[in-house]
Amino acid sequence: MKILITTDWYAPTVNGVVTSVLNLRRELIRRRHEVRVLTLSQTLHSYESDGVTYIGSVGAGKIYPGARIKAALSSGFVQRILDWKPDIIHSQCEFSTFLMARRIAKRLSIPIVHTYHTVYEDYTHYFMSNKKWGRQMTSTLSRWVIEQCASVIAPTEKVRAVLSGYGIDRPIHVVPTGIDLDRFTAETSEEKKFDIRKRLDIPDENRILLYIGRLAKEKNLEELLGYYAKQDTRTLTFLIVGDGPYRDTLEKMALDLGIGDSVRFAGMIPPEQIGDFYHMGDLFVSASVSETQGLTYIEALASGLPALCRRDACLDGVILDGYNGWQYETEREYLADMRLLLSDAVIQKIMRKNAAKFAQQAFSAAAFAERAEKVYFETLGEANIEERAVCSEVIPCR
């Protein structure tokens, strides 16, 4: 097939959508499909490079940190895609590039498959204080977008349930996003680990609690800092990797709680180095309930790192209590599970092995692309059936 992927986010931006698109594109090409990407440029300049069309855009950080909106005329670049004649479009975002995907789909009479990555009602606090209105607005937007599509992909059952609650009437396929396991299964040398500890001033003997992700209000890192302040931190370090609009608030909170000397903010790390940081950890922690899937959880497991995370529907079938980590609901559960793991070397060794094995079986990028491919074939088959039905009502089919 000729597959066009449209996305507002793309490299060098680092987030779950970009990771998903990069892995999907690479694996679809391995499966002998032709794949092009239509995305937004980081500047007003539009251009093409290595099968990717970048459309000029402007920053829209007041709506959502890092967001961009199409600003440049794109007719010439869109025409080249029309001349290429894709068989199907896989859209990844609901805004600028979706409008272009819709235009291309109408011109070529081809279907759109849409992946619903983000539950926007968890993010409306960036521009709207009323949560009820935020949910109503995102429900209306979601229905409008998906009504333009032939089918929708949800990365988890949690997202399927959200879409069903919005009254979506298109076929919903649950396809977990896969990751490039090789990036996380490769061992990190002791020399690299020593260098990272030295650079971040982490004592050699300290156990490391690790968080990797955006530093944003919806990630609920305040809860983790509050729990950490109640632990004996003399032989622990809480390593927070990532950046975002909430970093200053979190740094101040750590100081106010008296744990500033034991918390390390590493900032943004190049993607090619992130596996080294997973291998630094003794336990991956998260208190977020705003994830649609949470690729960092899967990356941690693939790295052989057990996870302790706030219970959430997106983790059903991902964090298995007592096998590769725990899901907690209360402070008491969080602290008890952490004490058990950190105090028992045998349990930690077993959980590390279980975590890596489970990720290998369930979340490979190759399996992700194979499942997406199946959705494409099903969608194209249904589109062809509908086309033949319409044709038979108008003129005899040739």
Side-chain angles (χ1 to χ4, degrees), residues 14-172:
V14 179
N15 63 28
V17 175
V18 175
T19 298
S20 178
V21 171
L22 291 173
N23 288 334
L24 179 62
R25 184 190 182 205
R26 183 188 65 250
E27 294 300 326
L28 287 172
I29 290 172
R30 285 182 180 174
R31 296 180 71 82
R32 297 180 172 274
H33 299 293
E34 291 184 53
V35 185
R36 293 190 185 181
V37 175
L38 175 63
T39 189
L40 299 180
S41 167
Q42 295 297 299
T43 69
L44 285 169
H45 175 60
S46 299
Y47 62 99
E48 293 176 341
S49 176
D50 190 28
V52 182
T53 299
Y54 299 86
I55 302 300
S57 68
V58 295
K62 290 185 177 180
I63 299 175
Y64 180 78
R68 301 191 69 83
I69 297 175
K70 173 181 170 294
L73 295 173
S74 58
S75 56
F77 291 97
V78 170
Q79 185 58 51
R80 292 176 202 173
I81 292 172
L82 290 168
D83 293 341
W84 178 58
K85 295 183 178 178
D87 298 302
I88 195 167
I89 300 173
H90 189 166
S91 67
Q92 309 284 331
C93 298
E94 291 77 12
F95 301 104
S96 292
T97 53
F98 180 79
L99 296 177
M100 290 187 278
R102 181 168 169 260
R103 174 182 165 192
I104 294 166
K106 284 191 171 184
R107 286 281 299 275
L108 295 176
S109 297
I110 61 174
I112 299 175
V113 173
H114 181 73
T115 291
Y116 195 85
H117 286 282
T118 306
V119 179
Y120 288 100
E121 61 188 78
D122 292 330
Y123 295 81
T124 54
H125 60 265
Y126 282 105
F127 54 88
M128 180 181 294
S129 58
N130 190 303
K131 191 171 183 178
K132 182 179 178 182
W133 289 355
R135 187 180 192 280
Q136 189 173 42
M137 182 187 71
T138 56
S139 173
T140 301
L141 168 68
S142 300
R143 282 198 305 271
W144 181 85
V145 167
I146 295 173
E147 282 171 1
Q148 321 296 313
C149 304
S151 60
V152 58
I153 288 175
T156 60
E157 288 291 345
K158 172 185 176 179
V159 179
R160 187 213 285 269
V162 169
L163 293 177
S164 296
Y166 290 164
I168 300 301
D169 62 357
R170 293 293 188 266
I172 303 174

Side-chain angles (χ1 to χ4, degrees), residues 317-384:
V318 178
I319 307 299
L320 309 179
D321 284 338
Y323 180 76
N324 58 7
W326 291 275
Q327 296 185 50
Y328 73 90
E329 294 182 352
T330 65
E331 175 185 315
R332 183 183 61 80
E333 290 178 355
Y334 177 92
L335 295 174
D337 292 338
M338 180 167 292
R339 278 195 298 270
L340 175 62
L341 185 91
L342 294 181
S343 64
D344 194 318
V346 174
I347 289 178
Q348 184 168 41
K349 184 177 180 180
I350 292 171
M351 281 202 163
R352 281 186 173 276
K353 183 179 178 181
N354 291 345
K357 179 181 178 181
F358 179 75
Q360 283 278 357
Q361 293 172 339
F363 298 108
S364 72
F368 169 45
E370 183 178 357
R371 291 168 184 150
E373 179 190 69
K374 183 179 179 181
V375 174
Y376 302 157
F377 281 130
E378 288 181 7
T379 302
L380 285 168
E382 290 168 3
N384 289 336

Side-chain angles (χ1 to χ4, degrees), residues 228-385:
Y228 185 69
K230 296 180 180 182
Q231 296 177 256
D232 182 354
T233 62
R234 288 174 295 180
T235 58
L236 290 176
T237 296
F238 187 6
L239 176 55
I240 298 174
V241 178
D243 214 335
Y246 221 50
R247 178 171 175 170
D248 289 346
T249 300
L250 295 171
E251 289 181 334
K252 182 178 184 302
M253 182 179 181
L255 291 173
D256 291 344
L257 289 170
I259 54 175
D261 290 342
S262 186
V263 179
R264 297 291 183 272
F265 289 86
M268 287 295 292
I269 300 299
E272 63 273 13
Q273 297 178 20
I274 205 71
D276 297 333
F277 281 79
Y278 281 116
H279 286 110
M280 293 284 297
D282 292 282
L283 183 65
F284 181 83
V285 293
S286 174
S288 174
V289 291
S290 67
E291 311 298 326
T292 54
Q293 181 174 17
L295 290 182
T296 54
Y297 304 145
I298 299 170
E299 291 172 353
L301 297 180
S303 305
L305 186 60
L308 176 57
C309 305
R310 175 162 281 285
R311 187 170 298 281
D312 186 53
C314 84
L315 295 177
D316 292 347
V318 178
I319 307 299
L320 309 179
D321 284 338
Y323 180 76
N324 58 7
W326 291 275
Q327 296 185 50
Y328 73 90
E329 294 182 352
T330 65
E331 175 185 315
R332 183 183 61 80
E333 290 178 355
Y334 177 92
L335 295 174
D337 292 338
M338 180 167 292
R339 278 195 298 270
L340 175 62
L341 185 91
L342 294 181
S343 64
D344 194 318
V346 174
I347 289 178
Q348 184 168 41
K349 184 177 180 180
I350 292 171
M351 281 202 163
R352 281 186 173 276
K353 183 179 178 181
N354 291 345
K357 179 181 178 181
F358 179 75
Q360 283 278 357
Q361 293 172 339
F363 298 108
S364 72
F368 169 45
E370 183 178 357
R371 291 168 184 150
E373 179 190 69
K374 183 179 179 181
V375 174
Y376 302 157
F377 281 130
E378 288 181 7
T379 302
L380 285 168
E382 290 168 3
N384 289 336
I385 290 170

